[in-house]
Amino acid sequence: MEEIGACFRKELVSKLLHLHFKDDKTKVSGDALQLTAELLKIFVVEAAIRSIRQAKAEDLARVDVEQLEKVLPQLLLDF
Amino acid sequence: MMEEEEEEGAEEQQRFSYRQRLKAAVHYTVGCLCEEVASDKEMQFSKQTIAAISEVTFRQCENFAKDLEMFARHAKRSTINTEDVKLLARRSNSLLKYITEKNEDIAQFNLERKAKKKKKLEDENKSSVEPAEAGVVESEN
């Protein structure tokens, strides 16, 4: 997992969070932004890996939306 | 009256295109991450799958944001901190463990970075005992 180089930039995470805050005064600490970025990264990687696992179980060479749909319920429950 | 409606329409448009830009940024990062996973596992994702993962991730951010805001408010704070983020990861034991470890890594890394910066400033101060030309001081962010 450590070999994954791509990541969510802190600025993007900050904008994404602030988009949905109800209170103008709500702020996010720098460390919390970094940790949220990690959480989002792992969310995407889990979605990807579980979909691949599903595709392989179905003997497919490519992952399509159908495989994602099958793994989505459990993914959302885990998060 | 017509002007007010027009202004509201323009504002609505701006909010919409801001949202679209954020979605596009998420889509880009999701694409990069999926590409790395795909090449590691020697599989391919259809474009629609990447788009779908991107959509779900964007929506998940809304849940995260609202929860984080509520957790901080519950603790009578207006600044969300790492404890709040850890609470987000409570539903799966392995996820919680992973996030807790990442948090320690981040804290450790930031601590070392601050120590290095402090040492660099101290070294620079020591070496400027003789009158030197004005230098640029790095400001800490």
Side-chain angles (χ1 to χ4, degrees):
Chain A
M1 255 294 290
E2 307 309 311
E3 321 90 47
I4 305 257
C7 67
F8 283 92
R9 283 172 20 251
K10 266 166 95 165
E11 286 171 54
L12 177 57
V13 177
S14 177
K15 288 183 182 166
L16 286 169
L17 293 179
H18 276 88
L19 184 66
H20 299 113
F21 287 157
K22 300 234 168 84
D23 191 350
D24 283 339
K25 296 189 227 100
T26 304
K27 298 196 250 316
V28 194
S29 80
D31 280 6
L33 274 180
Q34 271 183 279
L35 201 58
T36 306
E38 282 296 328
L39 189 62
L40 281 172
K41 171 170 157 175
I42 240 246
F43 180 80
V44 175
V45 171
E46 275 301 302
I49 288 186
R50 291 181 193 195
S51 306
I52 284 180
R53 213 177 282 153
Q54 181 65 34
K56 287 190 172 168
E58 294 181 39
D59 242 330
L60 297 164
R62 202 174 78 145
V63 186
D64 265 305
V65 185
E66 288 77 33
Q67 284 73 55
L68 174 66
E69 282 172 0
K70 291 182 182 157
V71 304
L72 209 46
Q74 188 59 49
L75 179 73
L76 294 176
L77 282 173
D78 286 339
F79 278 82
Chain B
M1 256 204 329
M2 267 291 279
E3 276 177 29
E4 262 180 45
E5 275 177 37
E6 271 176 38
E7 248 182 64
E8 262 181 50
E11 246 187 69
E12 190 70 50
Q13 264 287 29
Q14 264 191 335
R15 273 198 295 263
F16 179 75
S17 57
Y18 178 66
R19 239 179 116 90
Q20 291 303 101
R21 286 205 304 280
L22 283 185
K23 279 194 184 181
V26 170
H27 185 87
Y28 174 73
T29 307
V30 168
C32 293
L33 286 166
C34 288
E35 209 180 285
E36 286 191 54
V37 174
S39 93
D40 184 61
K41 302 280 175 198
E42 292 175 342
M43 279 287 269
Q44 257 192 353
F45 286 101
S46 71
K47 268 195 256 165
Q48 294 87 344
T49 309
I50 310 264
I53 295 181
S54 173
E55 183 71 39
V56 175
T57 305
F58 188 82
R59 270 188 274 136
Q60 191 65 11
C61 283
E62 177 164 358
N63 293 340
F64 285 166
K66 291 183 173 167
D67 281 355
L68 286 173
E69 187 174 40
M70 273 209 268
F71 294 159
R73 180 193 222 134
H74 184 70
K76 301 197 177 28
R77 280 183 273 106
S78 55
T79 303
I80 292 164
N81 64 21
T82 53
E83 293 307 302
D84 301 321
V85 183
K86 279 198 254 176
L87 262 182
L88 276 182
R90 69 196 179 285
R91 294 214 167 90
S92 148
N93 281 335
S94 47
L95 180 63
L96 182 57
K97 182 160 175 262
Y98 180 81
I99 285 295
T100 306
E101 281 171 17
K102 272 293 158 184
N103 187 31
E104 283 160 23
D105 288 346
I106 289 172
Q108 182 66 20
F109 181 78
N110 285 342
L111 219 70
E112 286 173 1
R113 207 173 58 160
K114 277 200 185 137
K116 273 193 204 143
K117 267 192 180 173
K118 191 169 173 218
K119 184 161 191 305
K120 189 166 173 236
L121 276 168
E122 280 175 10
D123 287 346
E124 281 172 1
N125 281 340
K126 273 188 217 153
S127 61
S128 66
V129 167
E130 51 268 332
E133 57 225 350
V136 180
V137 178
E138 245 186 60
S139 62
E140 241 189 85
N141 261 349

